[in-house]
Amino acid sequence: MAVEVHVIKSDTKPTWCPGCGDFGILNATLKAVQATQLDPKDLVVVSGIGCSSNLPHFLRSYGFHGIHGRVMPVATGIRLANPDLTVIATGGDGDGYGIGLGHFIHAMRRNFDLTYIVMNNEIYGLTTGQASPTSEKGMVTKSTPWGSIEWPVNPIALALSAGASYISRGFSGDPKQMATLIEGGLRHKGFALVDVFSPCVTYNKVNTYPFFRERVYKLEDEDHDTSDLLAAYEKAHEWGERIPIGLFYRVDKATYEEEEPALSRGPLVKQPLGLSQEQAEALIQEFR
Amino acid sequence: MPEGDVAIRIGGAAGDGVTSTGEVYAIACARSGLHVTTYESYQSVIRGGHVWFQIRAANEKRYSQGDTFQLLIGLDQQTLDVHAPLLSAPGGVIHDNDRHDLDEGILPEGVQSLPVPAQAISMDVSGKPLMQNVATLGALAHHVGLDLKVLHGSLAKMFGRKGEEIVKLNETVAERGYRHAAKQHKPFEFALRPNGEGRLLMSGHESLCLGALAGGVKLVAQYPMTPASGIMHWMAAHAKDYGVLVKQTEDELAAMNLVIGANFAGARAMTATSGGGYALMVEATGLAGMTETPAVIVEAQRVGPSTGLPTKTEQGDLQMVFGASQGDFPRIILAPRSPEECYEAAWRAFNLAESYQCPVFILTDLYLGEMWRTVEPPDFQVPIIRGLVAEDGGEGYRRYEITESGVSPRAFPGQAGLMFIAGSDEHDEKGELISDIRAGLPEYVDTRTRMMEKRMRKLETALNEMKPPELWGPEDADLTIVSWGSTQAAVRDALEILKGTGITANSLEFFDLWPLRVDEARRALEAASETLMVEGNYTGQFHRLLRAETGIALGHALRKYDGEPFYPREIVAKAEEVLRGR
C-alpha cells in the first residue's frame, strides 16, 4: 500500500507566519516520509518548544510535543523502548543548540538511530525576537540592542566533533534538496542531523531568503567527498560569501541500539513482564 | 540491651576494609538465623577519613540499628579513641596492640581490652598485612558465639569471585583470629541463639530493585548520585540476565525525559536520584503530568539543601516532591517504611503509574536505602496491571477522552489507527492544542476547565488503591507516635523500650503519602490521647501536610536534621518528656 502525502498530513493547519521557512520543512518532511513508504503508525515525531516544535501536530503519525530543549532524551527513550519505530526529532535552534545543547551532543556521540531536523532561523521567534545561539556576532535583537557580542554555535562542526554519522544542511528555499536530505537521514542507520536555514520573516531581518539565496551552493555540485571528515570540517567553516548546503559527512558505524545487550532479545515493549520462578529463585540465592 | 540482642561496631579509615568486614559479619549472623539490622556511617571521600559500621543481631525481630553496642573492632587509632568510651558492658574492644594503643582508662566499667595480633597473623598466613581485618573478624565471631563454619561460608560468599586461593587464605586468617580469642577469653554471655535457619539480608534499595524486576521494569535511566547510585549499579549488574536496559544519562534532565519517552512508547521505565538530582527532574515531572505519561521516580533523600551532607540521611524532600513543577496535576507518593515495603512499593509504583498515567514517587532515604537488614522472602507472583489501553483501529479514538474516573485509554506507537500527539501544552480530548490560536476563546476556556478536572479526577480514583496509615501497638495508649517512611524503625524499637517504663504508646505510621487517606488519618488522630510527630527534617514537612489535610494539630514534635538516623532512645526520651508535662 503506497502511503500518499495526504495520508500523512493532518487536518491541523500550521500556525506559522505567512512565508515562514518552516512550511518548506514540513513539506519536505512529508515528501521524505512518503518516499520511504513508512507506515505512519510506526513513525513518531518528537519536538520541544518553539514555533517549529509545533510540527508534529501537522503530521498524522504518533507524536510527542515535549518541553523546551528535551527533544533528544524523549526521542531516545522512545527508540530504546521500541527500535521498530522510526523517530524524527525536531525543533528550533534555541531548543536544540541552546537549552538542549548538552543532550544534542550526547545523543550524537551515542549514535542513536534517529533523524534530527533543526529549523534554524538564527533567532528566538515565539518569544518575539531575542538572540539565539546561532545568531551572528553583531546581530541586533531585542535582547542585544547594541549587537550580539557572542560568536554563534556552528552546528555542523559540532556534529562532526560529536560523532554524528549523517550530517547535512538544507535551506527552506530549496525544499527539493531538503526532502532528499531528510529522506537520506531516515534511510541512514545512525544519528542523522538535518540543520535547515529556515528564515524567520518576522524577527530576523538579516538571515532572510535573499541572504541565503545569494550565498548558498550545493555540496553535491562541487565534488565534495562525504566520507572525508577533514574536508567536511573545512566546508563546515565556510561562511560569508559562499555557504554550503547538502550532505557534509556520512559514515557507517554501529548504532547504540545495535550494541545495547538488552535489545538483543528484541524491543523492550515486546518482552514479558515480571520474573519466572527460576529467575526469582536465582535472585533469592544472592541474598542468602 | 536485653538478652539475645547484640550490636557491634567496626571502625577505621576508608580503605581499611570496614565495609567488607561488616558485611561478612552481617551475612554470618543472617545465615545463623539471627535478625540483623545495620547502620554504616561513611564520608564523601574515597580513601582515608573515618568510617564506622554498626551491626545489630538479635534473636527477635528488631527494626533499627539500636542505641548501644557491646563490641568494637578498631582498625585504626581514631576508632579506639572515639568509639571505645561509647561501649556498653558487658563488652570489649578488639584491636591490634602491635599497631595501635588503646587507653584502657577511657573504657567504661565492664568493657575489656581484647587485643589480637591481627597484622602479624595476616603477614604470617599471606605474607601481606591486608587481611588483618579478617583476623579481627575471627575474634569477633568467637566473642559473640558464631559458628566458625558459618563465618567461613560467609567469607567464601564475599571473596568467592577473587578465587579459591584468596578464600582459603581468608578462612585461615579468620580461624587464627578465632583461636587466639578463644584462648584469651570465653565467649560473652549475650544469649544469642543462632539456629542455622538462614535469613535473607538486603538493603532497602536492593529490595526495591527486586520489586521493580517483579513488576516488569524494562528500562532504568539514571545519573549517579548518592544514595541512589546503588540502584543503577545493581540494575546494571543484573541487566543482561533480566533483560533490563540501564542507561546512564548525561544528567537528570535527560534521565527523566528518557523515562517519559520510554513509557510513552509502552515500556515500564524508572529513574532514581536524590534531592539535588530530582531538582533537575522537576520540569519533566509536569510534562509527565500534562501528557499523562506514566513515570516511576525513586527519590532517595539525603541531607540538603544544595550538596548538603552527601553521605547522611534526612527526610527533607517531601515538600519538594509534593509540590514539584508548575500547576496542579495528579501525582502519587509512596514512602516505604522498611526493605520489605520497598519491594512492594516498586511493583505497585509501576501498576499505579500505568493505571493512573501519572508520575509515581518512591520516597526512600539513605538510611532505608543503603542499610542492610534481614527480611522475609518476597512473593514474586505480583499482579501486573497495565491500565486502560485502546484496541487497534478504534474509530474516533480520543487519547484524552473525558471519563468519570479521569483515566483515558492509552495507545502505543505502532498501534494502527490510533495516532495522536501527546502535548505539553493544554490540549483537548483528541490531543489537539488549545494553547495558541484557540486560547481565550469561550469554547476553549471551557475545554481547559474540563481537561483540568478530568486529570485531577484521577487522584480521587487512585485514592481507592492507597493504603491508610497503620496503627501498631495497643489501640489505647497514653501516647501515639506519628511517623512516615523509614522512621518506623526507630519508633518501633522505642515502643519496645517504652513497654518497660510504664508508658503505653502506639505508633501511627504513614507510607502511602499521596493521595492521602484523610478520613482514616483523621479518625486515627482523633482517637489518640496525645500525639508526638517524629520526622527527619527541620520544618515538619509531613506534620504540616497532615494538619492541612485533617485540620488536626498534632501535640508535639521531635525533629532531627543532623544527618544521623533516629535512635530509639531519643524517641523514648521525648515521649517521657511529653507525658511528664501532662
Side-chain angles (χ1 to χ4, degrees):
Chain A
M1 183 193 78
V3 178
E4 300 295 334
V5 165
H6 72 267
V7 176
I8 43 175
K9 193 174 177 183
S10 82
D11 300 332
T12 307
K13 296 269 169 296
T15 47
W16 298 316
C17 305
C20 175
D22 295 353
F23 284 103
I25 296 168
L26 173 61
N27 291 334
T29 305
L30 292 168
K31 259 189 218 152
V33 171
Q34 186 199 7
T36 56
Q37 284 298 295
L38 252 173
D39 188 332
K41 78 174 174 59
D42 297 321
L43 171 66
V44 188
V45 185
V46 186
S47 68
I49 291 294
C51 297
S52 51
S53 286
N54 282 341
L55 185 124
H57 295 275
F58 314 135
L59 272 77
R60 201 188 299 273
S61 68
Y62 283 93
F64 195 99
H65 182 184
I67 46 179
H68 200 33
R70 315 294 167 224
V71 181
M72 277 303 139
V74 172
T76 304
I78 294 167
R79 277 293 303 164
L80 293 179
N82 187 359
D84 287 351
L85 301 170
T86 297
V87 174
I88 294 177
T90 188
D93 42 307
D95 197 86
Y97 304 151
I99 188 168
L101 184 72
H103 305 308
F104 173 53
I105 293 170
H106 289 288
M108 289 191 286
R109 77 180 174 88
R110 290 166 185 154
N111 200 32
F112 293 119
D113 186 4
L114 50 84
T115 304
Y116 186 29
I117 305 169
V118 182
M119 300 175 228
N120 182 355
N121 57 11
E122 296 91 11
I123 194 84
Y124 280 81
L126 196 56
T127 52
T128 71
Q130 301 84 8
S132 102
T134 50
S135 292
E136 285 183 52
K137 191 161 190 290
M139 187 152 157
V140 173
T141 72
K142 277 188 186 161
S143 59
T144 56
W146 294 280
S148 169
I149 54 174
E150 293 178 11
W151 296 98
V153 164
N154 182 332
I156 303 295
L158 193 63
L160 288 164
S161 317
S165 50
Y166 179 101
I167 300 163
S168 67
R169 180 157 67 201
F171 168 42
S172 285
D174 190 344
K176 214 172 139 193
Q177 185 209 30
M178 200 200 324
T180 313
L181 292 173
I182 296 171
E183 186 190 338
L186 288 171
R187 293 189 190 278
H188 173 73
K189 197 164 57 64
F191 192 102
L193 172 68
V194 186
D195 177 72
V196 184
F197 294 136
S198 177
C200 174
V201 293
T202 307
Y203 292 109
N204 191 335
K205 304 300 184 194
V206 178
N207 309 106
T208 58
Y209 284 101
F211 172 91
F212 288 114
R213 276 214 183 90
E214 285 162 19
R215 290 169 173 83
V216 296
Y217 73 92
K218 291 182 185 174
L219 286 166
E220 55 265 38
D221 294 342
E222 301 217 348
D223 219 19
H224 170 64
D225 179 1
T226 58
S227 67
D228 185 339
L229 184 65
L230 291 179
Y233 264 110
E234 270 184 40
K235 291 291 178 192
H237 284 93
E238 263 184 47
W239 191 264
E241 292 311 302
R242 299 189 80 229
I243 302 173
I245 55 174
L247 182 61
F248 285 74
Y249 183 66
R250 206 195 78 85
V251 64
D252 285 317
K253 60 180 182 183
T255 66
Y256 192 96
E257 294 91 316
E258 285 172 331
E259 300 216 61
E260 167 55 55
L263 294 174
S264 62
R265 312 166 191 217
L268 298 181
V269 295
K270 293 183 180 156
Q271 304 307 309
L273 300 180
L275 292 165
S276 67
Q277 194 57 38
E278 272 165 46
Q279 286 179 318
E281 277 161 22
L283 280 169
I284 281 302
Q285 283 312 314
E286 293 183 28
F287 297 96
R288 284 198 195 280
Chain B
M1 266 190 204
E3 285 209 337
D5 185 349
V6 180
I8 67 104
R9 200 174 271 192
I10 304 165
D16 277 347
V18 171
T19 305
S20 58
T21 312
E23 194 174 349
V24 174
Y25 176 71
I27 293 169
C29 290
R31 286 186 166 195
S32 302
L34 298 169
H35 293 267
V36 177
T37 53
T38 66
Y39 175 63
E40 185 176 16
S41 171
Y42 62 103
Q43 301 170 325
S44 197
V45 292
I46 307 303
R47 293 296 297 260
H50 182 66
V51 186
W52 60 268
F53 197 166
Q54 181 159 318
I55 296 132
R56 181 186 193 185
N59 296 335
E60 306 294 330
K61 182 168 173 72
R62 294 288 179 268
Y63 294 88
S64 78
Q65 69 283 5
D67 291 293
T68 57
F69 60 103
Q70 289 76 33
L71 289 167
L72 173 69
I73 295 180
L75 296 175
D76 69 353
Q77 188 64 42
Q78 190 179 7
T79 302
L80 298 178
D81 298 342
V82 171
H83 298 274
L86 307 175
L87 277 152
S88 288
V93 183
I94 299 164
H95 63 106
D96 186 344
N97 55 1
D98 296 339
R99 297 185 62 220
H100 314 293
D101 295 317
L102 175 66
D103 174 4
E104 294 195 23
I106 63 173
L107 296 182
E109 179 93 27
V111 172
Q112 19 187 323
S113 168
L114 303 165
V116 185
Q119 184 169 281
I121 293 174
S122 177
M123 290 299 292
D124 192 35
V125 174
S126 67
K128 289 177 193 146
L130 281 176
M131 294 179 192
Q132 49 185 306
N133 56 328
V134 178
T136 61
L137 188 59
L140 175 67
H142 164 74
H143 291 304
V144 297
L146 284 187
D147 190 324
L148 189 58
K149 268 198 215 116
V150 177
L151 183 63
H152 281 173
S154 306
L155 284 165
K157 182 180 169 73
M158 187 75 186
F159 299 114
R161 64 193 151 79
K162 294 188 177 174
E164 213 169 296
E165 199 184 334
I166 297 288
V167 171
K168 197 77 216 149
L169 288 173
N170 273 288
E171 286 179 358
T172 309
V173 171
E175 188 162 349
R176 289 274 298 270
Y178 188 95
R179 304 262 174 247
H180 177 89
K183 269 188 250 158
Q184 179 185 46
H185 194 279
K186 66 181 190 335
F188 284 85
E189 287 176 7
F190 291 133
L192 283 180
R193 290 192 306 274
N195 60 21
E197 285 167 29
R199 295 184 178 279
L200 303 180
L201 180 73
M202 63 181 74
S203 70
H205 283 163
E206 285 170 335
S207 182
L208 191 151
C209 288
L210 289 182
L213 284 186
V217 67
K218 288 284 165 271
L219 186 147
V220 178
Q222 213 175 319
Y223 184 83
M225 185 171 189
T226 302
S229 302
I231 293 174
M232 176 164 58
H233 302 163
W234 194 94
M235 284 292 187
H238 293 81
K240 266 193 179 173
D241 289 345
Y242 296 92
V244 180
L245 195 157
V246 177
K247 182 80 209 82
Q248 181 182 336
T249 52
E250 60 271 24
D251 54 35
E252 288 89 349
L253 301 164
M256 183 66 189
N257 280 279
L258 199 147
V259 162
I260 290 170
N263 272 294
F264 169 77
R268 289 194 154 187
M270 66 178 248
T271 184
T273 184
S274 189
Y278 180 66
L280 296 191
M281 298 183 181
V282 168
E283 63 166 13
T285 301
L287 174 65
M290 187 55 136
T291 57
E292 305 198 42
T293 307
V296 173
I297 307 129
V298 180
E299 217 273 40
Q301 301 162 100
R302 69 186 210 193
V303 172
S306 196
T307 309
L309 289 168
T311 63
K312 292 290 164 187
T313 199
E314 197 164 89
Q315 294 182 291
D317 296 348
L318 172 63
Q319 182 169 287
M320 170 168 69
V321 164
F322 182 74
S325 227
Q326 63 273 29
D328 285 319
F329 56 91
R331 75 192 75 200
I332 292 171
I333 306 172
L334 310 177
R337 294 171 289 177
S338 60
E340 281 97 338
E341 224 158 69
C342 284
Y343 177 84
E344 193 179 293
W347 64 257
R348 281 180 69 211
F350 286 103
N351 288 347
L352 291 167
E354 291 207 308
S355 293
Y356 301 102
Q357 305 171 21
C358 70
V360 177
F361 296 90
I362 305 174
L363 206 49
T364 68
D365 53 47
L366 183 139
Y367 175 60
L368 171 64
E370 294 199 330
M371 303 312 148
W372 289 302
R373 293 190 218 171
T374 43
V375 301
E376 295 304 315
D379 178 3
F380 283 98
Q381 297 302 315
V382 305
I384 305 270
I385 301 158
R386 304 224 49 190
L388 215 50
V389 179
E391 298 282 327
D392 280 23
E395 282 292 303
Y397 171 66
R398 285 169 295 164
R399 166 65 185 93
Y400 300 109
E401 187 184 341
I402 291 177
T403 60
E404 206 174 316
S405 66
V407 180
S408 323
R410 291 170 79 197
F412 302 119
Q415 281 190 278
L418 305 176
M419 281 83 82
F420 75 99
I421 314 295
S424 66
D425 288 55
E426 186 59 281
H427 42 261
D428 65 11
E429 290 181 81
K430 284 191 277 183
E432 287 176 16
L433 304 191
I434 62 162
S435 52
D436 41 39
I437 55 166
R438 291 164 169 173
L441 298 177
E443 182 191 347
Y444 293 103
V445 171
D446 186 47
T447 303
R448 153 69 183 177
T449 306
R450 285 186 297 124
M451 293 309 291
M452 190 69 189
E453 289 169 355
K454 171 208 115 62
R455 284 191 297 269
M456 294 311 290
R457 270 203 300 281
K458 293 191 291 184
L459 263 191
E460 294 161 35
T461 313
L463 186 63
N464 299 320
E465 289 196 50
M466 296 294 111
K467 296 186 184 175
E470 182 184 1
L471 187 72
W472 174 266
E475 222 164 275
D476 286 321
D478 302 327
L479 180 68
T480 296
I481 302 172
V482 187
S483 69
W484 63 276
S486 69
T487 304
Q488 178 204 47
V491 173
R492 289 219 174 167
D493 282 350
L495 290 192
E496 278 302 307
I497 301 170
L498 282 169
K499 275 182 188 167
T501 66
I503 293 174
T504 58
N506 55 24
S507 167
L508 183 64
E509 300 164 358
F510 287 83
F511 48 104
D512 280 8
L513 301 189
W514 198 258
L516 183 68
R517 295 282 291 244
V518 175
D519 291 346
E520 287 91 342
R522 190 184 293 119
R523 274 203 294 279
L525 291 175
E526 280 169 351
S529 38
E530 188 65 82
T531 49
L532 168 65
M533 175 83 219
V534 182
E535 65 180 310
N537 59 64
Y538 185 89
T539 55
Q541 298 182 6
F542 188 69
H543 193 150
R544 280 184 285 134
L545 180 69
L546 210 47
R547 185 166 59 196
E549 294 298 318
T550 64
I552 297 174
L554 278 70
H556 302 271
L558 174 63
R559 293 175 194 156
K560 195 170 175 174
Y561 33 84
D562 61 359
E564 300 299 324
F566 277 103
Y567 283 82
R569 289 274 171 202
E570 296 170 332
I571 298 169
V572 169
K574 184 70 184 178
E576 288 173 336
E577 180 197 311
V578 164
L579 292 177
R580 243 201 327 271
R582 245 192 348 181

